[in-house]
Amino acid sequence: MSEQNGQTRVKVENLQKLFPISKGLFRKSTDFVYAVDGISFEIKEGESLGLVGESGCGKTTTGRVLVKLEDATGGQAFVHNSDRDEMIDVMDVESPEDRKEFRKHVQMIFQDPYESMNPRRTIYDIVAEPLKVHNLGTTEEKEQRVVDLLRLVGLTPPEPFLFRYPHELSGGQRQRVAIARALVMEPTFVVADEPTSMLDVSIRISIMRLMLELAEKLGVTYLYITHDLAVARYMCDKIAVMYLGKIVEMAPTEELLSNPMHPYTRALLSAVPVPDPSYQRPQVEIEGGVARAINPPDECRFIERCPFAVDECKTAHPNLFDRGNDHLVACYLVAPDGSWTGRERAKLELRS
Amino acid sequence: MTDIQTRAAEGGLGTERSHSEVPILEVKNLVMNYEIKAGMVSAVEDVSFTLPKGHSLGLVGESGCGKTSVALTLMRLAAANARVLGGEVRLDGENLLELNDEEMRQRRWDDISMVFQGAMNSWNPVYTVGEQIREAMDLHWEPRPSAAEARAKTEELFQLVGLNPEMIDRYPHEFSGGMKQRAVIAMALSCDPKLIIADEPTTALDVIVQEQILEELRKIQHEFGMSIIYISHDIAVIAEITDLMGVMYAGKLVEFGDTVDIFARPRHPYSWLILSSTPSITGPRRQLAPLEGEPPNLLDPPSGCRFHPRCPFATQKCTDEEPPLEEVEPGHKIACWNYEQVPVGILAEAE
């Protein structure tokens, strides 16, 4: 775990991504899925932020927007350019040259190591591709760089791997190759989208160890996207919980786990299975599954599943603000000092 | 009383431990290989365990460790190239491996039913869910149920798994993932089986929905004394819902016993490493154990103990001789020559 007071590496302000729902060829779409709706966060040097939530909450879309696989429909995002020590405006990255330059600093590791590699290219081609694109080094230098990286990600001895194809490797080895490919340009910022969820227990652990080690060694900053809070606990300094396109709670990892404030975070935490048969879990307070955020009305996004909702929750989606200890929550029922007011508020409403 | 309750009452089942009666399932020295061009894949090697009535058993292990192969062999549904080379599978005393195909067909669903991995995606989209459950009942109930009986039973099952009975006449696309999975469980219960095998019943579901489904399964086991075998790669899920567990590695059962005991003190090096390093949101942050390497190729499994190439406690004996599964404490069996070397309890991170 690293120091909190480093330089800002990633800054996201009010990021928004809407997907139009197709109505047919000639009709203009008026319905939108609010996949990511006005989220803001900052990641400091060497720190990693976990983006956690159920499927459909917008966590993957956020990651894809930040690596420019999708274009945002609103808001701003900046990523640090370590060569020039300045921030790159992600929204300004448009031309092929810009994108090329951008990819030196920002990379992504995908969930499925079986589908994120060209089956007809050798491991050497896959890892060396960014070097070829940027025309860096002679053939010997490239080869040396690839060998070094394969060794770094634990594929040892590296030489026999160079001219193998992805199908000859196991899932864990492929994910190591994907990590090597992401790191070959020495990026400042890596978006890791569920990099271990397809892997088996023992292999998952070794990939998690590897990613932590590399973060320390190379000073990489991760945005770690996962549905698994237990994994996030190990990989991230800070966790942001998303629900229907909004960040509903964000805090340093242990603070969030020991003192969850938002009703959704509390439900999520009490539903996580615990590898301890003697553990008495708290009751899960909410029911139902995640809805889709199609043209959501101006009210708290969580209102439908929230067992504590009061009238104020229907007014607008609450703002995310700090309740002390760098603990941000978006809920009307959490007082500015972080205390829970749900019960009193419900009583007040009953009386009136 | 429902049929399930009647059956539970007749059997005198409950949640208390009673190991003396005839176990619902007894697997003895089961050996199963898959025959492929390159040779025989040793998928299940000399696996033995016993499940008393009314209990839940979890089989954990990584992909390819043989946990699903064990289940498919119990159901006699393993692929055409599967060869059962030895052993017994006794369901309520009767060896399923000796039955002919027609007899086995009758046992399936009636006596032993299975919730397959990803079953929620195998509903036929052009029939209602109720019609598909009815089909199972028509084939297996003696005598065939009348429309009213089938309806009443399906409604009862829907309520049991937490589905609105009005959904019976709906099509699968109108169900969410969690609802489809609940309906699969209802279908598995439709012929009042003695034993249910649930293969990764909640994988691919979100945590909150997963917790709800596990709760329903827990209820079915505890309230009705159902015997359930869970197969999962997720150790935390096994901790939540089983009273007994078996840890499999490379086709072998390496540890078997009471779930609480094994979690408190895993004795096989593999279980110890895996349990120690399972990330958890509670307790101190654990050390992520250094388990290097990958599971072996079962076309040519390692000599002696199959875990020896990755085991931190391995000695020459482990390379030479295969350790038997032996009881080291009442009800707690392990297959390891050096289990005494394994530290007590799990690793905690000193931070």
Side-chain angles (χ1 to χ4, degrees):
Chain A
M1 297 275 145
S2 48
E3 295 292 310
Q4 297 281 321
N5 47 12
Q7 211 184 353
T8 299
R9 285 298 169 88
V10 180
K11 194 173 166 80
V12 172
E13 274 169 13
N14 253 321
L15 193 72
Q16 192 191 48
K17 174 67 189 174
L18 311 185
F19 290 102
I21 297 172
S22 167
K23 283 266 182 83
L25 198 52
F26 298 109
R27 288 172 62 188
K28 199 167 163 17
S29 178
T30 48
D31 292 342
F32 292 91
V33 175
Y34 283 61
V36 177
D37 189 14
I39 67 170
S40 306
F41 57 81
E42 229 182 275
I43 313 179
K44 299 256 162 68
E45 183 178 353
E47 199 185 62
S48 58
L49 173 72
L51 214 47
V52 175
E54 293 175 277
S55 31
C57 72
K59 54 190 193 301
T60 295
T61 306
T62 305
R64 291 175 64 88
V65 167
L66 290 180
V67 299
K68 257 327 208 195
L69 283 174
E70 307 270 3
D71 287 323
T73 44
Q76 286 183 301
F78 304 91
V79 178
H80 186 253
N81 175 342
S82 50
D83 295 345
R84 291 192 211 140
D85 196 22
E86 61 182 29
M87 299 298 273
I88 312 170
D89 186 340
V90 178
M91 303 302 145
D92 278 353
V93 177
E94 287 297 341
S95 65
E97 293 77 45
D98 285 352
R99 281 177 191 262
K100 208 165 127 180
E101 174 68 22
F102 181 68
R103 297 251 188 276
K104 277 196 206 167
H105 307 287
V106 182
Q107 282 290 328
M108 185 155 181
I109 300 169
F110 296 90
Q111 177 174 15
D112 190 345
Y114 295 88
E115 289 192 352
S116 55
M117 273 168 218
N118 186 336
R120 294 169 168 230
R121 315 283 302 270
T122 63
I123 302 307
Y124 171 76
D125 287 334
I126 289 168
V127 178
E129 174 149 21
L131 298 173
K132 289 179 196 159
V133 169
H134 293 279
N135 209 1
L136 292 176
T138 62
T139 310
E140 290 75 43
E141 281 166 348
K142 276 182 213 149
E143 208 170 298
Q144 191 52 46
R145 178 92 183 113
V146 174
V147 165
D148 290 347
L149 266 166
L150 292 182
R151 190 174 291 124
L152 185 70
V153 298
L155 291 172
T156 45
E159 287 78 10
F161 286 99
L162 287 178
F163 300 103
R164 287 199 198 157
Y165 289 89
H167 75 265
E168 297 176 83
L169 307 187
S170 68
Q173 289 172 335
R174 270 182 240 205
Q175 205 57 304
R176 286 172 193 267
V177 172
I179 294 173
R181 174 177 62 183
L183 295 179
V184 71
M185 298 304 296
E186 298 178 3
T188 3
F189 177 48
V190 173
V191 174
D193 187 3
E194 305 263 19
T196 63
S197 69
M198 303 272 292
L199 304 173
D200 264 317
V201 210
S202 69
I203 297 156
R204 172 179 308 179
I205 294 158
S206 59
I207 296 287
M208 284 165 65
R209 281 163 55 97
L210 172 68
M211 290 185 65
L212 288 171
E213 241 175 69
L214 294 175
E216 199 148 298
K217 232 186 254 178
L218 311 175
V220 187
T221 298
Y222 293 116
L223 177 71
Y224 198 96
I225 298 168
T226 179
H227 68 282
D228 189 335
L229 273 155
V231 169
R233 182 181 183 200
Y234 286 78
M235 302 304 298
C236 310
D237 305 275
K238 229 181 187 187
I239 293 178
V241 178
M242 280 189 80
Y243 189 79
L244 289 186
K246 296 275 192 190
I247 291 179
V248 296
E249 184 159 7
M250 177 157 62
T253 303
E254 293 300 320
E255 163 71 17
L256 185 105
L257 295 179
S258 58
N259 185 22
M261 292 179 187
H262 196 280
Y264 178 65
T265 313
R266 297 204 320 244
L268 206 56
L269 280 172
S270 53
V272 174
V274 171
D276 176 3
S278 54
Y279 176 77
Q280 289 293 320
R281 67 166 54 258
Q283 192 67 35
V284 179
E285 287 159 332
I286 64 169
E287 293 200 345
V290 188
R292 273 218 297 175
I294 300 170
N295 298 341
D298 199 13
E299 58 184 18
C300 173
R301 287 291 162 87
F302 187 57
I303 195 164
E304 265 179 47
R305 294 172 81 190
C306 185
F308 310 106
V310 295
D311 288 343
E312 192 181 1
C313 306
K314 290 179 198 142
T315 54
H317 186 82
N319 287 327
L320 186 71
F321 71 90
D322 197 342
R323 323 278 162 139
N325 298 332
D326 201 16
H327 193 145
L328 283 69
V329 190
C331 177
Y332 293 117
L333 297 174
V334 177
D337 67 351
S339 60
W340 175 249
T341 66
R343 205 160 288 131
E344 297 85 69
R345 294 285 289 275
K347 270 189 212 149
L348 265 179
E349 269 189 18
L350 270 179
R351 247 180 264 152
S352 65
Chain B
M1 254 197 316
T2 68
D3 293 336
I4 298 170
Q5 280 170 314
T6 318
R7 181 167 262 175
E10 281 166 0
L13 308 177
T15 45
E16 77 277 1
R17 293 286 152 84
S18 47
H19 293 268
S20 55
E21 57 184 319
V22 181
I24 190 72
L25 182 75
E26 208 177 353
V27 175
K28 277 191 205 159
N29 308 104
L30 189 66
V31 181
M32 195 272 270
N33 288 3
Y34 290 107
E35 193 175 339
I36 61 170
K37 263 191 201 143
M40 295 292 255
V41 178
S42 170
V44 178
E45 181 61 32
D46 198 16
V47 166
S48 305
F49 62 86
T50 302
L51 174 63
K53 272 183 189 148
H55 287 267
S56 54
L57 162 71
L59 285 180
V60 269
E62 301 177 65
S63 21
C65 74
K67 52 193 194 304
T68 298
S69 292
V70 167
L72 291 173
T73 312
L74 302 187
M75 292 290 288
R76 297 241 327 247
L77 284 175
N81 64 343
R83 306 279 174 265
V84 177
L85 302 179
E88 289 174 18
V89 173
R90 293 198 175 273
L91 181 70
D92 225 0
E94 180 183 47
N95 188 355
L96 297 181
L97 299 181
E98 285 171 354
L99 300 178
N100 66 32
D101 287 352
E102 175 54 26
E103 286 167 332
M104 187 61 214
R105 193 190 65 76
Q106 286 166 5
R107 301 295 185 282
R108 271 180 225 126
W109 294 92
D110 260 342
D111 289 345
I112 176 170
S113 68
M114 185 159 172
V115 174
F116 292 91
Q117 185 170 6
M120 62 183 199
N121 299 322
S122 53
W123 288 104
N124 186 332
V126 298
Y127 293 99
T128 67
V129 168
E131 282 165 346
Q132 297 181 59
I133 294 178
R134 171 82 193 271
E135 192 184 356
M137 292 191 215
D138 282 349
L139 285 170
H140 289 279
W141 278 34
E142 283 297 336
R144 233 175 108 131
S146 67
E149 276 175 321
R151 181 84 196 180
K153 178 72 185 177
T154 313
E155 281 180 6
E156 180 198 318
L157 290 171
F158 264 49
Q159 260 153 8
L160 188 65
V161 298
L163 283 174
N164 184 342
E166 284 168 18
M167 297 296 290
I168 292 173
D169 302 314
R170 301 285 182 87
Y171 290 88
H173 75 266
E174 298 173 86
F175 286 60
S176 70
M179 287 158 76
K180 277 188 233 175
Q181 191 63 5
R182 285 168 195 263
V184 168
I185 295 166
M187 188 162 171
L189 289 166
S190 64
C191 305
D192 298 312
K194 297 173 185 166
L195 173 67
I196 295 184
I197 302 173
D199 189 0
E200 305 275 7
T202 57
T203 307
L205 296 174
D206 277 317
V207 274
I208 292 175
V209 180
Q210 162 169 292
E211 167 53 27
Q212 290 159 358
I213 303 250
L214 294 181
E215 190 55 46
E216 305 295 349
L217 286 165
R218 225 180 264 136
K219 198 173 79 190
I220 290 163
Q221 189 215 334
H222 288 287
E223 287 178 20
F224 306 118
M226 183 63 73
S227 312
I228 308 183
I229 296 181
Y230 292 97
I231 292 169
S232 182
H233 69 283
D234 189 336
I235 285 156
V237 167
I238 294 293
E240 297 259 328
I241 45 173
T242 66
D243 357 286
L244 293 167
M245 70 185 275
V247 180
M248 290 192 70
Y249 182 78
K252 303 275 293 183
L253 188 64
V254 296
E255 181 154 6
F256 186 86
D258 196 284
T259 305
V260 175
D261 293 349
I262 293 184
F263 273 89
R265 187 177 178 189
R267 285 166 169 270
H268 191 281
Y270 177 68
S271 331
W272 178 71
L273 284 167
I274 289 289
L275 294 188
S276 292
S277 51
T278 301
S280 171
I281 56 159
T282 61
R285 268 165 48 98
R286 294 164 178 185
Q287 197 173 320
L288 297 175
L291 183 51
E292 295 304 334
E294 306 209 345
N297 179 353
L298 295 180
L299 261 174
D300 180 23
S303 64
C305 171
R306 291 185 175 184
F307 186 56
H308 86 259
R310 300 173 77 188
C311 181
F313 307 102
T315 54
Q316 187 58 42
K317 191 174 188 185
C318 307
T319 319
D320 301 337
E321 283 175 67
E322 200 168 329
L325 188 70
E326 280 182 327
E327 195 156 36
V328 292
E329 250 174 52
H332 195 155
K333 295 178 182 174
I334 45 168
C336 177
W337 294 121
N338 302 319
Y339 70 89
E340 280 158 337
Q341 308 280 319
V342 177
V344 177
I346 54 171
L347 292 163
E349 188 163 12
E351 240 187 316

